[in-house]
Amino acid sequence: MPQFHTHIVVDWSARSRPSPEKPTRDAIWWAVARVDGGSVPEPETFYARTRHGALQGLVRLLQGELDAGRRALVGFDFPFGYPEGVAGRLTGEASALALWDWLAARTNDGPDNENNRYEIAAEINAAYPGLGPCWGRPAGWSFPTIPVKKSARSGRESHPPERRVADQLAVGAKTVWQLAYAGSVGSQILLGLPALKRLIEDSSIAGQIAIWPLQTGLRTPKEPAVVIAEVYPSLLRREIHARARKGEISDCAQARVNALAFARLDAGGGLAPLFGGTASLTASQRRLIETEEAWILGLGHEEALERALASP
């Protein structure tokens, strides 16, 4: 039996204005793949112009799945935690979820995507000596404590680690500290984690969601109706390139191919091992992942996901 009936992969965005009406790249997309018996039809894809609109759409989607008695796995494409020590430094508690609360209490993210993410990044930088660790901004923006370039940071010996355990193993993964420029994920984290907190606390679905592995541990979640996990779509970069449709927007293709891969692997009974991380993790790394850093679902299991895509 599959672990989940519905697999959703969300490609997030930190845009400061609404995305265009006409679907475009660098916006929010998600794909929905449903397990139908032993097969998985092609996923449906959706586009949202704002983060508020995306959350509303995702809440409606999850409400529908819950009402239909369908269990859902939802993957978001940004890190769920920071490297070791960051949560403790900022909140006094070595807990990624405490850091979610810290960010949510400080973040303003309006219905039109206007937000204060650089003020939050500046507050993070102020907690450490020197300049940084957050970096990357338009040169004309007035945030002098956030360097434009990585090389302009100072006091690195007193800064937190550059990468999480997962980021060290995921080929091509950017660090959590890069806020801007190609492939960056830092701004998505600053706005994404407070958004996830709003999602899981929505009154219509609250109490039916667990965050893997921060609330479940590195094991297969058996109980909650909805499980939210971190994903890194570029784990399947070759398959995305090979399966992209003519004229398809890259963010849409990423969400679609990943949702299909997870759903097909699940339909074939092979999803459960992904929730255990990888065999190479030490006991101390596992504790760190379960409390502070989180983990990328599918990391170390890329071949299994690729094989699943080849199945009908």
Side-chain angles (χ1 to χ4, degrees), residues 124-253:
I124 293 173
N125 279 1
Y128 295 93
L131 194 61
C134 295
W135 66 275
R137 62 172 171 85
W141 286 21
S142 182
F143 289 97
T145 62
I146 301 174
V148 175
K149 296 181 179 180
K150 178 180 179 180
S151 59
R153 296 185 299 177
S154 63
R156 285 292 298 129
E157 65 280 358
S158 300
H159 288 178
E162 191 72 7
R163 297 177 180 273
R164 304 176 302 159
V165 174
D167 301 329
Q168 296 171 30
L169 300 177
V171 176
K174 299 288 187 178
T175 78
V176 299
W177 307 116
Q178 183 178 344
L179 304 177
Y181 318 128
S184 62
V185 73
S187 286
Q188 285 90 324
I189 302 169
L190 293 176
L191 298 177
L193 296 180
L196 283 184
K197 183 173 169 61
R198 294 199 302 273
L199 177 69
I200 64 178
E201 291 178 353
D202 187 279
S203 59
S204 62
I205 56 178
Q208 302 180 78
I209 301 177
I211 302 160
W212 175 87
L214 301 173
Q215 292 177 324
T216 67
L218 280 168
R219 60 186 65 87
T220 307
K222 296 294 186 182
E223 292 301 324
V226 177
V227 174
I228 295 179
E230 174 188 337
V231 296
Y232 179 47
S234 291
L235 290 181
L236 298 176
R237 56 176 58 84
R238 290 178 300 183
E239 289 293 335
I240 293 166
H241 178 75
R243 292 172 176 270
R245 298 163 179 163
K246 184 177 180 179
E248 186 176 23
I249 292 167
S250 59
D251 308 87
C252 179

Side-chain angles (χ1 to χ4, degrees), residues 56-80:
Q56 290 171 354
L58 289 167
V59 166
R60 287 194 299 269
L61 171 60
L62 293 176
Q63 277 184 294
E65 297 303 303
L66 291 168
D67 290 345
R70 299 176 63 86
R71 195 167 186 238
L73 174 66
V74 190
F76 285 83
D77 72 333
F78 52 80
F80 282 13

